[in-house]
Amino acid sequence: MADLTPTEAAVLDAVDEAAAVALLCRLVAVPSVGGTAAESEIQALVAAELDGLGCDVDRWAIDLAAAAAAPDAPGQEVARDEAWGVVGTLPGTDDGDPALVLCGHTDVVPTGDRALWAGDPFTPRLSGGAVHGRGTCDMKGGLVSALAALAAVRAAGVRLRRPVAVHAVVGEEDGGLGAWATLARGHRGDACVIPEPTDGAVVTAAAGALTFRLEVTGAAAHAAMRDRGVSAVELFAHVHADLRAFEAERQRDADPRFAGERYPFGISIGTVHAGDWASSVPDRLVAEGRYGVRLGEPVAAARARFEARVAAACAGHPWLARHPVTVTWTGGAFASGSLPPGDALLGQVRGAVVDAGGAPPPERAVPAGTDLRLYAGAGIPTLHLGPGDLHLAHGPAERVPVAEVTAVARALALLTLRRCGVA
């Protein structure tokens, strides 16, 4: 642990854990599922918090029609009547782009079967040193770490030489609408940290993810004479088995940063709908799923490989050769993304973690698509450092340890001082 300057020590002392927990509970209590009115409600709450920290706040209505038509837009998987962007910039004495951006998404995924939760997923509970509820880990806990870092800088009376900004974004879970719109509005920075849950690591690369739809055509018949029909369900079983083999092939020679992940570039079927009558052989099946994109693999190339594999599986089947499966691409499109090799941000973040009292964080990659690739694609060096374990996200056991929220806030506060400078 390096010797801290008096200013750095004062800022670390100013990180307020109790205030961070209270704010996190307020955010979790807003059921900000993508596409609901609460997704806009929570953006207003965060904007007010940033205003209270003395930030210059830009809050604007995202042009959804323009986002739907833009060729570089990442796509959406939920319907929205409105969406809001929020950026809060803590000014520096010098003009120019922020030296550091802290980006966090406020949207959450649906809860699933609420009976599987220990309590109401949108009534935050503090138990076992962690806050429990939907969005605690993914990623309201990380957003609170960023806000607590700025609050500590303000509470310590520090004036920064260069600005720091917080980007609060929506739509991350279904493609990245908010981050895309924020960058399109012209908000930039020298570097970006996204405090997605990293479980004590620094994540410098994220795989991509694409959403696909498969349409399988069979032949209907009375179920009592099923041999006279061709079941779309049985046809899909053939295609699905081949996709499993394809998935195994795509995991070979994965980047070492994916150590411990069995499927860095997994293929998963999320929904299956078949038939319209229990006593009929189903003549149609529609399946939708998620397809992992390898690091550095262009999205167009990944799609072409998937389409070719499905076509080959059909070509070797007597029925499907004449009635091939249709592949379409729907919803969000996550390209892969990574921090440029040798970029100084990695060492700076690791140093801030250690100097704030943490253990040296290992470097990892994450198999999930994230907003990292949008900032990296805009030429902004970006990585993840955040509280919580991604393996708990999207499930009924979602939670984030309070100690990790505080530890990340301390590291981000130090990083802010060191990248932005003290006036």
Side-chain angles (χ1 to χ4, degrees):
M1 184 171 178
D3 291 334
L4 300 175
T5 69
T7 298
E8 289 176 339
V11 168
L12 290 185
D13 288 342
V15 174
D16 189 334
E17 182 171 277
V21 170
L23 176 58
L24 177 55
C25 289
R26 286 173 58 211
L27 295 182
V28 173
V30 180
S32 52
V33 175
T36 67
E39 193 181 36
S40 296
E41 177 186 345
I42 198 166
Q43 286 291 85
L45 192 159
V46 174
E49 188 70 20
L50 290 165
D51 184 66
L53 290 174
C55 293
D56 296 330
V57 179
D58 182 17
R59 181 172 181 261
W60 72 98
I62 296 172
D63 187 335
L64 295 176
D72 66 334
Q76 301 177 61
E77 296 186 11
V78 300
R80 289 182 172 87
D81 295 324
E82 66 174 10
W84 290 84
V86 171
V87 170
T89 304
L90 195 60
T93 56
D94 295 351
D95 294 330
D97 286 338
L100 178 65
V101 169
L102 305 174
C103 174
H105 69 84
T106 56
D107 60 307
V108 301
V109 298
T111 61
D113 184 355
R114 293 199 175 203
L116 299 177
W117 290 77
D120 185 331
F122 294 114
T123 299
R125 297 178 297 109
L126 185 58
S127 175
V131 179
H132 299 244
R134 172 58 85 230
T136 50
C137 171
D138 187 17
M139 60 163 290
K140 293 177 180 179
L143 178 58
V144 165
S145 292
L147 294 170
L150 262 63
V153 171
R154 293 286 291 173
V158 175
R159 294 186 66 200
L160 300 175
R161 184 174 56 82
R162 294 189 58 198
V164 59
V166 171
H167 295 182
V169 300
V170 299
E172 189 273 350
E173 296 288 1
D174 67 301
L177 169 69
W180 173 84
T182 298
L183 292 165
R185 193 168 172 84
H187 289 289
R188 291 289 192 275
D190 290 355
C192 177
V193 174
I194 303 177
E196 290 272 14
T198 59
D199 195 25
V202 175
V203 169
T204 55
L210 305 173
T211 303
F212 61 84
R213 177 183 292 129
L214 303 176
E215 297 181 55
V216 184
T217 301
H222 195 293
M225 295 162 283
R226 70 181 183 86
D227 58 311
R228 309 255 179 119
V230 180
S231 169
V233 171
E234 294 175 15
L235 294 172
F236 175 67
H238 169 78
V239 175
H240 186 255
D242 193 73
L243 286 178
R244 278 284 175 262
F246 181 48
E247 177 188 50
E249 294 168 15
R250 286 179 61 80
Q251 310 315 304
R252 295 172 186 163
D253 302 318
D255 190 292
R257 287 173 291 180
F258 286 109
E261 295 294 346
R262 186 175 178 185
Y263 299 112
F265 320 110
I267 302 173
S268 176
I269 301 297
T271 65
V272 178
H273 302 280
D276 55 11
W277 192 253
S279 293
S280 295
V281 174
D283 61 0
R284 185 170 184 269
L285 179 147
V286 177
E288 293 183 318
R290 180 261 194 203
Y291 168 54
V293 179
R294 290 176 62 92
L295 292 184
E297 181 182 35
V299 167
R303 285 174 171 161
R305 290 178 181 122
F306 185 92
E307 292 168 2
R309 186 62 180 238
V310 172
C314 292
H317 186 279
W319 175 270
L320 291 174
R322 292 178 288 117
H323 307 86
V325 172
T326 300
V327 179
T328 54
W329 301 99
T330 63
F334 292 84
S336 67
S338 54
L339 182 74
D343 191 272
L345 182 62
L346 174 59
Q348 291 167 350
V349 169
R350 279 176 155 165
V353 170
V354 171
D355 293 347
E363 183 182 3
R364 295 280 186 263
V366 65
T370 76
D371 281 339
L372 182 153
R373 97 283 186 186
L374 292 171
Y375 285 85
I380 302 171
T382 303
L383 54 71
H384 294 306
L385 172 76
D389 182 349
L390 185 62
H391 295 93
L392 295 175
H394 296 206
E398 185 174 2
R399 61 188 180 273
V400 66
V402 170
E404 292 186 23
V405 174
T406 304
V408 172
R410 286 166 57 86
L412 294 180
L414 272 188
L415 184 67
T416 298
L417 294 181
R418 292 172 178 180
R419 284 203 63 97
C420 298
V422 177

